[in-house]
Amino acid sequence: MAHVAMRAMMALGLAISLLRAEAVPDTPDDDIHIIFSTDCGGYQNWQAAALTYSALMVGQKGHITRIVSNCPEDADYAMMRRSVFPNYHLHITPKFSLDEGQEYFPYYNKPLGVDHWIKNAVPAVTQSVVVLLDPDMVFVQAIRPDGVRNKKNILYTGHRDQSEITDKVYEGHPVGQQYLIGSTWVSFQREKICGDGSPCAKVTHSEAQEYYSLGPPYLLHRE
């Protein structure tokens, strides 16, 4: 339940806009920064190696950063920094815990780790498009800031006209992969989760199903 709730909260910031993308200039293929969040365990070390190797094999452009959180003092960061991908970075975050000081909650790693990275990355993040993956993903083709070349290949199962749908990323128009999260989270105590007055508390079931049933890859403009 906590995992589903966290995914739902992240998706709230990634609504697919109805704006048309035809007038937006194309973004170069290498103007992209791909990130994924892990712990420091051996299992996710292997996942990181597979993800970055697959990126190399499909000719992925841009940069890739692995964000690691809650590592032990003897963590082998030198090993984690090695990768076959040429523009690869490792970002180490502080240890995160619940605000109330309770027991460590692993699902804080992703949102708090990404927030720490965007504010403290070395070198600073300058790429226009940021892509958030899960560590258990591999590439079968390169991700482009302007989406797939043939827009007829976009699979859309919602209620809007297909001509309104684009996977091109630009400022104010993030994109996410459709997931079968549904709208169950609309029944959560959203005022407590999101805060009083938050727009997320006003989302209806139909809006949640149409615009926010999302998962990784998440693509959004840095601004």
Side-chain angles (χ1 to χ4, degrees):
M1 178 66 71
H3 187 57
V4 173
M6 186 59 68
R7 282 188 179 275
M9 285 191 290
M10 292 180 64
L12 287 174
L14 296 170
I16 299 180
S17 168
L18 288 175
L19 297 174
R20 301 299 294 273
E22 285 81 353
V24 178
D26 290 343
T27 302
D29 286 355
D30 60 353
D31 192 11
I32 189 170
H33 202 129
I34 297 164
I35 59 175
F36 61 101
S37 172
T38 75
D39 60 24
C40 291
Y43 181 73
Q44 293 202 313
N45 287 338
W46 279 109
Q47 288 183 326
L51 185 153
T52 52
Y53 179 74
S54 68
L56 180 70
M57 290 296 97
V58 300
Q60 178 63 51
K61 305 295 185 182
H63 293 248
I64 296 180
T65 293
R66 176 184 177 182
I67 302 171
V68 293
S69 305
N70 293 286
C71 298
E73 292 185 0
D74 61 349
D76 189 352
Y77 294 123
M79 179 274 293
M80 296 182 204
R81 287 189 172 95
R82 293 195 293 268
S83 175
V84 295
F85 193 81
N87 295 322
Y88 176 77
H89 315 275
L90 183 75
H91 182 79
I92 304 165
T93 77
K95 291 188 176 182
F96 300 121
S97 62
L98 288 172
D99 296 337
E100 296 82 0
Q102 299 177 18
E103 185 177 353
Y104 162 64
F105 185 61
Y107 302 116
Y108 265 19
N109 283 3
K110 183 183 289 184
L112 296 184
V114 171
D115 180 68
H116 188 272
W117 168 76
I118 200 73
K119 294 175 179 176
N120 301 280
V122 179
V125 183
T126 58
Q127 292 75 33
S128 298
V129 175
V130 176
V131 181
L132 176 61
L133 303 180
D134 275 346
D136 59 355
M137 292 179 164
V138 294
F139 288 80
V140 294
Q141 65 179 21
I143 297 177
R144 302 174 60 251
D146 295 324
V148 296
R149 297 186 187 279
N150 185 353
K151 300 305 180 184
K152 293 182 180 180
N153 290 334
I154 297 175
L155 177 62
Y156 171 67
T157 59
H159 302 291
R160 287 170 287 166
D161 189 275
Q162 182 76 28
S163 64
E164 298 178 346
I165 307 304
T166 177
D167 61 346
K168 185 173 185 175
V169 181
Y170 52 93
E171 189 171 349
H173 188 278
V175 173
Q177 173 69 38
Q178 183 180 27
Y179 269 48
L180 298 179
I181 296 173
S183 60
T184 304
W185 57 269
V186 174
S187 302
F188 296 170
Q189 297 180 21
R190 288 180 283 162
E191 292 80 5
K192 183 177 180 180
I193 297 172
C194 306
D196 291 334
S198 171
C200 94
K202 302 177 182 179
V203 177
T204 66
H205 279 278
S206 60
E207 290 172 337
Q209 189 69 41
E210 176 70 17
Y211 299 104
Y212 302 105
S213 187
L214 304 176
Y218 301 107
L219 299 88
L220 65 160
H221 196 279
R222 178 171 53 89
E223 298 298 331

